[in-house]
Amino acid sequence: MFEKDRIYKIEVTSPGGRKLAVAEKDQFSFPRFYIDDMPVTNVIIMKGRRYPELDRDQAVYVITYMKNGDRIRYPAAVRMSLVDQLNVQLRSDFGTLMEERRRYYKVESNIECEVLGYIRDDNYIEFNKPMEGVINNISIGGVFLGCDDVRFSPHDIVNLNFFVEDNPVEIYAEVLRVQRVNGEVDGYGCQFQNVDQNQEEIFGHFVYTIQLQKRIEEQEKEEMREEALLRVKDPETT
């Protein structure tokens, strides 16, 4: 049975990849019912608007977007198609993990953090007082760390403590590269080392939220440009 709380979006596509329907948050459910005394748990009910009319038993794919950043695709078939509801039954035993595009997608941030210490040559060096740092961008896989009070080298493993959307995170991250600007250290590209499922979901939700905000802003700008062009073509339009 699917764990709905681990899924934040569901997408239905044609076999060729054309997007047919999308449902987010509370727009989908996994009902449990019985056919001939056998439990059925692989049907998804999606609620929305302006769904296309699809034929019953039409072959489609269902893509589940997981909070930890994974995307899993399942072959499926349409069971009911209405303008505001789409029911699909998928082959839950044939799910495939899709190539991950979002795991290392970085979003800009300005998250204050503490550097509690670091590991170098298998020795842990703990600071008497945590060093202040800032996370300039973040992905599910790592961060770009700015820290002026200490110098790190590639392969150092830093111990970080910070908050993401009010969620406390303590994690280790390996320094993969030292970025310099005009010869001065600008920051460190770091890869997380001990990410657990809860942390992956925290990072994944944050990245998704920032991406969604950007898409909304871009859409609003595009609509404003289109309105401006219409006014130029037809000055009487208000």
Side-chain angles (χ1 to χ4, degrees):
M1 186 173 181
F2 292 93
E3 298 180 65
K4 181 182 176 182
D5 59 345
R6 295 188 59 196
I7 302 172
Y8 69 86
K9 183 172 75 171
I10 288 177
E11 187 175 282
V12 177
T13 74
S14 69
R18 181 168 60 91
K19 187 184 298 185
L20 300 174
V22 176
E24 302 190 35
K25 296 181 179 178
D26 296 327
Q27 295 178 316
F28 60 86
S29 61
F30 298 89
R32 183 183 180 92
F33 57 93
Y34 291 84
I35 297 180
D36 296 330
D37 295 327
M38 295 294 293
V40 177
T41 59
N42 61 340
V43 171
I44 302 175
I45 296 178
M46 301 170 59
K47 297 291 184 70
R49 294 188 302 172
R50 299 179 182 177
Y51 282 164
E53 290 188 18
L54 304 175
D55 295 333
R56 180 178 173 83
D57 295 328
Q58 178 175 331
V60 293
Y61 278 105
V62 169
I63 300 174
T64 58
Y65 287 70
M66 314 301 291
K67 291 181 179 179
N68 68 355
D70 290 337
R71 295 179 303 142
I72 304 175
R73 185 172 66 176
Y74 302 89
V78 175
R79 289 294 174 253
M80 185 178 76
S81 178
L82 302 173
V83 68
D84 59 354
Q85 181 174 328
L86 179 62
N87 296 5
V88 291
Q89 186 170 15
L90 49 82
R91 293 290 303 274
S92 55
D93 52 338
F94 281 87
T96 58
L97 184 65
M98 299 180 67
E99 179 183 354
E100 189 46 59
R101 297 177 298 180
R102 197 169 60 89
R103 180 171 296 276
Y104 296 106
Y105 184 91
K106 298 177 181 179
V107 295
E108 299 298 318
S109 63
N110 186 28
I111 301 173
E112 296 181 353
C113 68
E114 293 181 333
V115 183
L116 306 179
Y118 64 99
I119 299 172
R120 177 179 292 171
D121 298 329
D122 295 329
N123 295 315
Y124 181 75
I125 301 169
E126 183 177 5
F127 299 128
N128 293 327
K129 180 180 178 181
M131 300 293 181
E132 295 181 355
V134 61
I135 295 172
N136 295 308
N137 63 51
I138 186 171
S139 71
I140 298 178
V143 297
F144 184 80
L145 171 67
C147 185
D148 296 330
D149 298 327
V150 63
R151 290 291 177 260
F152 298 113
S153 301
H155 306 303
D156 286 350
I157 298 176
V158 294
N159 187 6
L160 303 176
N161 188 29
F162 55 95
F163 282 83
V164 177
E165 297 181 323
D166 297 326
N167 297 294
V169 175
E170 182 175 348
I171 200 165
Y172 287 89
E174 180 181 2
V175 176
L176 299 183
R177 62 184 176 88
V178 180
Q179 179 168 302
R180 289 181 169 82
V181 176
N182 297 325
E184 298 293 327
V185 174
D186 183 53
Y188 306 92
C190 304
Q191 184 179 56
F192 293 139
Q193 296 296 295
N194 62 327
V195 184
D196 60 32
Q197 179 179 314
N198 180 61
Q199 291 168 336
E200 278 195 340
E201 293 183 357
I202 290 171
F203 300 148
H205 182 268
F206 181 75
V207 170
Y208 170 73
T209 300
I210 298 300
Q211 286 182 284
L212 180 61
Q213 290 174 348
K214 286 185 176 181
R215 285 198 297 268
I216 292 173
E217 291 172 0
E218 290 171 358
Q219 183 176 355
E220 290 176 346
K221 289 179 181 178
E222 182 62 28
E223 291 174 352
M224 291 176 63
R225 282 195 293 266
E226 291 177 356
E227 290 176 0
L229 287 173
L230 287 174
R231 286 196 295 269
V232 171
K233 292 179 180 179
D234 186 0
E236 296 182 1
T237 302
T238 57

